[in-house]
Amino acid sequence: MTTQQTILITGAGSGIGRATARAFLEAGWRVALMGRREEPLRQTAEDHPALILPGDVTVPADVDRAFARVEAEWGRLDVLFNNAGAALKGTLIDEIAVEDWLNVCNVNITGMFLCARAAFGLMRRQSPQGGRIINNGSISAYRPRPGSVPYTMSKHAVSGLTKTLAVDGRRFDIACGQIDIGNAASEMTAGFSAGMPQADGSIKPEPVMDVRHVAETVLHMAGLPLDVNIPFVTIMARDMPFLGRG
């Protein structure tokens, strides 16, 4: 059996997921790419061999199918980067459609739960036992942006998932940590340099950082021995309004 480390990355078709997947592929890991559309996943892999897993993290059957494929192909999973997420345009709570609220919750909470559940189960039964789950949280969970009720609430839930799995996983040699990201350059932050709403009601441009710094941080977390854990790490564009936001 190969000694190559294995990782499954959700939301791997764009943004942080794509950048992180490429960092792991270049580092020689076996990488499984999960996302709703197959073609963006293949574009992420470029010329590297990767396990392409089209599927929706909010659909239990899709999640079960993806993790079963990993187990069948590789026999084990060393790391899950639980990355897939959704957000809404900044809006006051009474203007948020219930359907939009449910969509964010389905991706950011149910999707995270389903993938963590599948990874935990596989890591618990594989031999040797153990592995690592890295959840993509957000600094918005403790420094919310104006008009971000669905996103902020959902990321509080992610932090709860991380803390609980970090405890529950100990006796199975499963580590769980979280990366909270501030203003990484991606499709989601494309308009930040033009101006973002601030807590005082003003609109100001915000700096962004190269997404490769996020990928390198996840790679570092994943490479730690299982008796070492980074429960929470924040990485951000230095001058973004985070410290002092409010």
Side-chain angles (χ1 to χ4, degrees):
M1 182 177 289
T2 181
T3 58
Q4 274 184 299
Q5 293 281 92
T6 60
I7 183 170
L8 188 154
I9 298 171
T10 66
S14 63
I16 290 167
R18 171 172 286 180
T20 304
R22 288 176 175 171
F24 276 85
L25 287 166
E26 290 166 6
W29 285 58
R30 287 192 167 191
V31 181
L33 309 174
M34 186 174 180
R36 287 176 295 177
R37 295 176 296 139
E38 182 172 346
E39 184 53 34
L41 298 178
R42 297 198 177 279
Q43 292 171 3
T44 293
E46 295 180 312
D47 297 327
H48 297 280
L51 193 57
I52 305 299
L53 303 172
D56 189 329
V57 297
T58 70
V59 178
D62 285 6
V63 173
D64 289 344
R65 187 181 307 115
F67 281 83
R69 178 91 184 278
V70 168
E71 187 172 16
E73 293 281 340
W74 297 337
R76 67 178 293 106
L77 178 65
D78 295 299
V79 178
L80 165 68
F81 182 33
N82 213 0
N83 166 69
L88 297 176
K89 181 180 179 181
T91 310
L92 295 176
I93 188 170
D94 59 321
E95 299 175 2
I96 297 169
V98 173
E99 181 180 356
D100 292 337
W101 152 260
L102 291 173
N103 179 63
V104 170
C105 289
N106 282 340
V107 178
N108 293 1
I109 300 177
T110 301
M112 282 269 183
F113 166 82
L114 291 173
C115 292
R117 176 179 180 270
F120 195 98
L122 175 52
M123 292 171 181
R124 184 179 170 187
R125 67 177 176 268
Q126 65 194 11
S127 180
Q129 193 176 63
R132 188 181 305 274
I133 296 169
I134 301 172
N135 294 324
N136 188 346
S138 175
I139 61 177
S140 290
Y142 37 99
R143 292 289 190 278
R145 289 187 178 278
S148 67
V149 165
Y151 187 75
T152 295
M153 288 181 68
S154 70
K155 291 302 183 176
H156 270 281
V158 174
S159 296
L161 174 67
T162 299
K163 293 173 184 177
T164 306
L165 293 184
V167 174
D168 290 348
R170 289 173 182 169
R171 60 194 174 114
F172 307 112
D173 216 14
I174 298 172
C176 185
Q178 180 169 315
I179 182 167
D180 295 327
I181 303 160
N183 288 17
S186 67
E187 291 88 341
M188 189 179 292
T189 61
F192 280 25
S193 60
M196 286 293 292
Q198 305 299 311
D200 62 2
S202 64
I203 304 292
K204 295 179 181 177
E206 294 187 9
V208 296
M209 64 177 172
D210 194 311
V211 71
R212 68 183 173 86
H213 300 303
V214 175
E216 290 168 355
T217 302
V218 176
L219 186 60
H220 172 68
M221 295 171 75
L224 293 171
L226 289 177
D227 61 349
V228 179
N229 191 34
I230 298 175
F232 291 90
V233 62
T234 298
I235 183 166
M236 53 176 271
R238 187 196 65 194
D239 295 338
M240 69 170 289
F242 167 59
L243 301 177
R245 184 194 293 183

